[in-house]
Amino acid sequence: MRHLFFTLLTVSVSIFLSTTMVAQPFDRGEMYSRQDSLRGSNTPERAWWDLRHYRLAVWVYPEKQEIEGVNTITYVVKSDHPGRLQIELQKPMVLEQAVQNGKSLSWDQEGMIYFIQLQDEQPVGSRQELALTFGGKPKKARRAPWDGGFSWTKDDEGNHFIATSNQGEGSSVWWPSKDPPLDEPEEGITEIFTVPQGLVAVGNGRLTKTERDRKNKQVTYTWEVTNPINDYGININIGDYVNWTETYAGEKGDLECSYWALRQNEAEAREQFKQGSMTLEAMEHWFGPYPFYEDTYKLVHVPYLGMEHQSSVTYGNNFGNGYLGRDLSQTGVGLQFDFIIVHESGHEWFANNITHQDVADMWIHESFTNYSESLFVEYHFGKESGWKYVRGTRSNISNDIPIIGPYNVRREGSGDMYYKGGNMLHTIRQIINDDEKWRSILRGLNEDYYHQTVTSQMVEDYIAEKSGEFLEPVFDLYLRDVRVPTFSYRQTPNGTQYRWSNVPQDFIMPLDIMVNGEERRIIPTYRWQMLEDVTWDDELEASVDYYIYQEDQTVR
């Protein structure tokens, strides 16, 4: 959710179904460095090895705001290699040692990129381990989660309250990793977090061991994730936590739900976190079974707003509904639920189960999850409320740059991937005009791409194929352009002319309109067409559930 709601600072009035200025296609014209390319692409030093498992041991020293650790990477050799292996670690963190088969390895460094020079043979198909020792003062998050890193704070009782968030920066902001999203560790991660006694360290997955070192006044917590996990979803949360659990009877059986809140906030957290199971119920209805039954579902209190860390959803929304008490849809509906619980939990399906291969396709994470908010509302409060909510979020759309960013340079597209992306999906639902088919598509995505990384094209083709609709021009315009299709029409005594304007000449998309209170479907194109039975004596209105503009050119 990193770039969510920057636009709230400059919210403008959205003009829907009204005359609008014509926006032109956007030319990014950006230049990228070698560092951008090395970080954002599947380089030869990355492509030859398949990541299988992380064993991440971290010692946290809150008073010094420092960490040290060892990350042991297990991988399988896929092909012949160039003699070196690429990992990332960002300054001011320092890579201190790389060891394989008992041998210390050297490396070449370019900025945050480390090329580890290999010594031993790496036969194709063999399983290898590489241990990376690191330490330092990790980057402080100045405005978490948008500006990520470590949040070093204290609770009202003076206890340390610490958390990580690094969606934009990547996991390498605090530990050495294979940072791009294309390759996830299929066998998960073992997290071994050591903190001063009196504090609890909460990670991803399931707590399997707690060891107390009274001599050194430390406690070590071991967490196990058995499923694939995206690197930015790996986190550590530290505080004077209390914990309680419940069992959710889900589609795949009993799911352990674990809740972690500061001791000082236990009462209000116990009440607010009841929305966790409500969210699971709605999301399982729309998207299919929760994707990580083996690793549990957790809500974890943190000192920032929240994020979608896999099986460790972090929460800092002040134990109230809305988004910090505000309704992002400006309809009243947004105050019926806790935005952070719903949104960040929705990411367990889109971001964590289905993960993009390139950051440019971040819309796969954020558009579907933005849309999941309205689906949650629809499930619990009715279709009218859910649809009202998604329409209300249009006031936050900027139409500044395309939603899809440039590929292979680790760059996101527009923040419109949230609200515009959600409204694009709502529009496609109108085009399909079959709620059960639409639900089967959403569930099918999570079943057919279960625990996979995907591209935008894969998702687009899947929805088009399963719906039977021609959606290529729809995806292209909403994702790769900044224009919003405008339904232009002019009524005359002899009929009504209509077309799409503010679109490419090959654009085509069905539209539902109301004529004298009766619904009918038309298929406008760039060229003028005629409804001979609709004259200027008839009332004409386009459906409000399509994200379009409307331009009445009638001259009476």
Side-chain angles (χ1 to χ4, degrees), residues 401-415:
I401 59 174
I403 286 175
I404 291 181
Y407 289 97
N408 297 317
V409 288
R410 199 180 174 94
R411 289 291 192 279
E412 300 172 9
S414 171

Side-chain angles (χ1 to χ4, degrees), residues 286 331 333 371 374-375 377-378 382-394 423 426 429-430 433 435 438 543-545:
W286 288 107
T331 63
V333 178
Y371 183 58
S374 65
L375 295 179
V377 173
E378 180 174 339
K383 179 182 284 191
E384 182 178 349
S385 292
W387 290 24
K388 181 180 179 181
Y389 177 85
V390 70
R391 294 194 303 266
T393 64
R394 292 172 186 166
N423 273 279
H426 188 60
R429 180 179 182 178
Q430 311 312 308
N433 196 30
D435 284 351
W438 180 235
S543 168
V544 296
D545 287 297

Side-chain angles (χ1 to χ4, degrees), residues 143-162:
R143 189 168 181 263
W146 299 280
D147 174 72
F150 260 75
S151 296
W152 304 93
T153 67
K154 291 187 177 182
D155 65 19
D156 294 344
E157 303 300 321
N159 302 302
H160 288 287
F161 189 25
I162 303 165

Side-chain angles (χ1 to χ4, degrees), residues 287-511:
F287 299 150
Y290 174 73
F292 310 107
Y293 269 70
E294 302 83 359
D295 296 328
T296 77
Y297 166 81
K298 287 195 297 298
L299 286 177
V300 187
H301 185 193
V302 292
Y304 62 87
L305 187 59
M307 257 195 65
E308 64 264 28
H309 302 108
Q310 184 173 311
S311 67
S312 181
V313 173
T314 51
Y315 175 88
N317 198 36
N318 297 337
F319 307 104
N321 284 355
Y323 171 85
L324 294 175
R326 301 198 300 272
D327 174 11
L328 297 176
S329 73
Q330 303 179 50
T331 63
V333 178
L335 296 179
Q336 293 181 284
F337 63 95
D338 190 310
F339 175 90
I340 291 300
I341 292 176
V342 172
H343 180 91
E344 305 307 344
S345 297
H347 271 305
E348 293 283 41
W349 284 263
F350 290 95
N352 299 341
N353 184 38
I354 301 175
T355 306
H356 56 51
Q357 294 185 9
D358 191 297
V359 173
D361 288 334
M362 182 68 80
W363 80 270
I364 298 169
H365 297 195
E366 301 299 354
S367 297
F368 280 98
T369 306
N370 172 273
Y371 183 58
S372 78
E373 300 158 24
S374 65
L375 295 179
F376 170 90
V377 173
E378 180 174 339
Y379 181 85
H380 285 291
F381 305 109
K383 179 182 284 191
E384 182 178 349
S385 292
W387 290 24
K388 181 180 179 181
Y389 177 85
V390 70
R391 294 194 303 266
T393 64
R394 292 172 186 166
S395 61
N396 302 315
I397 298 174
S398 300
N399 290 313
D400 51 355
I401 59 174
I403 286 175
I404 291 181
Y407 289 97
N408 297 317
V409 288
R410 199 180 174 94
R411 289 291 192 279
E412 300 172 9
S414 171
D416 281 348
M417 69 180 80
Y418 295 89
Y419 309 108
K420 185 176 181 180
N423 273 279
M424 174 192 72
L425 294 172
H426 188 60
T427 297
I428 291 172
R429 180 179 182 178
Q430 311 312 308
I431 294 171
I432 295 172
N433 196 30
D434 183 332
D435 284 351
E436 281 309 305
K437 178 183 283 190
W438 180 235
R439 178 172 169 241
S440 73
I441 290 171
L442 297 175
R443 291 175 65 94
L445 280 166
N446 280 277
E447 180 178 359
D448 293 347
Y449 294 136
Y450 182 71
H451 291 176
Q452 293 185 37
T453 60
V454 301
T455 65
S456 180
Q457 200 60 58
M458 291 168 66
V459 173
E460 294 171 48
D461 291 347
Y462 185 94
I463 296 175
E465 178 186 352
K466 297 299 183 181
S467 68
E469 300 288 344
F470 180 52
L471 297 175
E472 180 179 348
V474 179
F475 283 119
D476 279 346
L477 188 66
Y478 285 96
L479 295 177
R480 300 176 176 90
D481 206 321
V482 297
R483 291 174 286 183
V484 178
T486 300
F487 176 57
S488 299
Y489 66 95
R490 48 194 181 217
Q491 294 176 266
T492 75
N494 299 316
T496 296
Q497 294 178 307
Y498 65 93
R499 69 169 185 139
W500 288 123
S501 59
N502 200 31
V503 295
Q505 292 190 17
D506 61 353
F507 182 77
I508 182 172
M509 182 175 78
L511 177 65

Side-chain angles (χ1 to χ4, degrees), residues 121-387:
E121 293 293 324
Q122 309 270 318
V124 174
S126 66
R127 189 177 178 94
Q128 306 285 340
E129 284 189 356
L130 175 66
L132 305 171
T133 302
F134 63 99
K137 289 181 177 287
K139 176 181 177 290
K140 291 183 180 180
R142 300 185 182 279
R143 189 168 181 263
W146 299 280
D147 174 72
F150 260 75
S151 296
W152 304 93
T153 67
K154 291 187 177 182
D155 65 19
D156 294 344
E157 303 300 321
N159 302 302
H160 288 287
F161 189 25
I162 303 165
T164 59
S165 56
N166 47 251
Q167 179 177 357
E169 290 78 6
S171 56
S172 60
V173 76
W174 63 285
W175 57 284
S177 62
K178 190 176 188 180
D179 210 357
L182 176 63
D183 191 10
E184 297 181 348
E186 291 99 308
E187 299 165 18
I189 183 173
T190 300
E191 301 168 343
I192 306 168
F193 297 147
T194 301
V195 297
Q197 65 182 18
L199 296 175
V200 178
V202 182
N204 306 82
R206 190 180 295 273
L207 181 63
T208 59
K209 186 187 299 184
T210 302
E211 300 173 285
R212 303 186 185 280
D213 181 352
R214 290 181 171 80
K215 178 180 177 181
N216 294 307
K217 299 182 179 180
Q218 294 178 327
V219 186
T220 299
Y221 298 88
T222 300
W223 296 84
E224 292 283 355
V225 173
T226 61
N227 290 296
I229 184 170
N230 66 63
D231 276 12
Y232 85 75
I234 295 168
N235 71 336
I236 180 172
N237 312 286
I238 302 167
D240 179 26
Y241 284 119
V242 293
N243 169 238
W244 65 98
T245 62
E246 67 174 349
T247 299
Y248 169 72
E251 290 194 12
K252 286 179 65 174
D254 288 343
L255 171 63
E256 179 184 322
C257 298
S258 183
Y259 305 104
W260 300 79
L262 289 187
R263 192 176 307 278
Q264 67 183 39
N265 300 110
E266 179 179 1
E268 52 194 335
R270 281 184 177 270
E271 182 61 31
Q272 196 69 6
F273 284 4
K274 291 177 181 178
Q275 293 190 39
S277 58
M278 289 179 62
T279 303
L280 290 169
E281 182 181 349
M283 298 308 172
E284 284 206 332
H285 171 81
W286 288 107
F287 299 150
Y290 174 73
F292 310 107
Y293 269 70
E294 302 83 359
D295 296 328
T296 77
Y297 166 81
K298 287 195 297 298
L299 286 177
V300 187
H301 185 193
V302 292
Y304 62 87
L305 187 59
M307 257 195 65
E308 64 264 28
H309 302 108
Q310 184 173 311
S311 67
S312 181
V313 173
T314 51
Y315 175 88
N317 198 36
N318 297 337
F319 307 104
N321 284 355
Y323 171 85
L324 294 175
R326 301 198 300 272
D327 174 11
L328 297 176
S329 73
Q330 303 179 50
T331 63
V333 178
L335 296 179
Q336 293 181 284
F337 63 95
D338 190 310
F339 175 90
I340 291 300
I341 292 176
V342 172
H343 180 91
E344 305 307 344
S345 297
H347 271 305
E348 293 283 41
W349 284 263
F350 290 95
N352 299 341
N353 184 38
I354 301 175
T355 306
H356 56 51
Q357 294 185 9
D358 191 297
V359 173
D361 288 334
M362 182 68 80
W363 80 270
I364 298 169
H365 297 195
E366 301 299 354
S367 297
F368 280 98
T369 306
N370 172 273
Y371 183 58
S372 78
E373 300 158 24
S374 65
L375 295 179
F376 170 90
V377 173
E378 180 174 339
Y379 181 85
H380 285 291
F381 305 109
K383 179 182 284 191
E384 182 178 349
S385 292
W387 290 24

